[in-house]
Amino acid sequence: QQQVKQSPQSLIVQKGGISIINCAYENTAFDYFPWYQQFPGKGPALLIAIRPDVSEKKEGRFTISFNKSAKQFSLHIMDSQPGDSATYFCAASINTGNQFYFGTGTSLTVIP
Amino acid sequence: EAGVAQSPRYKIIEKRQSVAFWCNPISGHATLYWYQQILGQGPKLLIQFQNNGVVDDSQLPKDRFSAERLKGVDSTLKIQPAKLEDSAVYLCASSRVGQGAGEQYFGPGTRLTVT
């Protein structure tokens, strides 16, 4: 059973556009929601993370929106750049230090 | 700060052979994780250590997979015998405990191909 469901599977965006990736979860015990970026041949790298006590977190061009009642969270990449082309994974965990349950990933391509 | 180191980066073996992967976590990180990432999927936890003790190995196929973390630093993951479905990238990650816990730092992974 997939603990975290992610969509879309792939996304193509024009340079300067907004990329939006969505995730949903069922387990209300999750309390830490990170987003990871992975380039080919590399391990995932933390992009931004949020806890359920806030509805939005912004770091540069990257924003997480969190809807606790709907059990959904999303990543918004503003002013998308070709260098943002990568696979993005959402994840969730119960208490810090425990395993991450990853989504299935979104392959983002930003066209110049 | 040096990142998580893994070796080898690539390995090709035949089914029923054995293979071992090595991981050196970030210095001072007490928690170490091994994940399996099958092509097109997100990483899935195989085993989690805190220092040299196992915290969670519920998803480790114990009939063929084993892992150890002697002295609470480096770790090895072994597969014996390998099956075709073990073809995947094996990722090692580490994190702190206490303040700053939560963020997991991943190594580059070992890509295993079983033929």
Side-chain angles (χ1 to χ4, degrees), chain A residues 2-74:
Chain A
Q2 190 72 29
Q3 296 262 11
V4 179
K5 296 181 180 180
Q6 184 172 345
S7 64
Q9 185 175 1
S10 61
L11 183 61
I12 300 174
V13 173
Q14 293 278 358
K15 177 183 176 181
I18 302 173
S19 304
I20 302 174
I21 304 170
N22 301 299
C23 285
Y25 63 97
E26 286 298 324
N27 191 339
T28 55
F30 287 144
D31 62 358
Y32 180 68
F33 301 89
W35 283 90
Y36 276 80
Q37 180 188 55
Q38 186 175 29
F39 292 104
K42 306 289 186 183
L46 179 68
L47 197 59
I48 187 172
I50 197 168
R51 297 187 187 276
D53 52 343
V54 296
S55 60
E56 186 174 282
K57 183 174 181 180
K58 183 176 181 179
E59 291 184 1
R61 297 185 293 110
F62 302 93
T63 300
I64 299 179
S65 296
F66 186 82
N67 186 328
K68 189 174 182 178
S69 61
K71 292 184 285 186
Q72 295 175 348
F73 58 109
S74 60

Side-chain angles (χ1 to χ4, degrees), chain B residues 48-93:
Chain B
Q48 177 184 346
F49 293 93
Q50 183 162 319
N51 297 311
N52 59 352
V54 175
V55 174
D56 184 352
D57 65 355
S58 58
Q59 299 178 92
L60 186 74
K62 298 180 186 64
D63 58 333
R64 298 183 301 105
F65 286 65
S66 64
E68 60 182 10
R69 191 184 184 197
L70 300 177
K71 302 180 182 179
V73 181
D74 293 5
S75 177
T76 56
L77 176 69
K78 297 179 182 179
I79 307 175
Q80 182 180 12
K83 292 185 175 181
L84 294 176
E85 58 260 37
D86 298 332
S87 294
V89 175
Y90 291 84
L91 293 164
C92 180

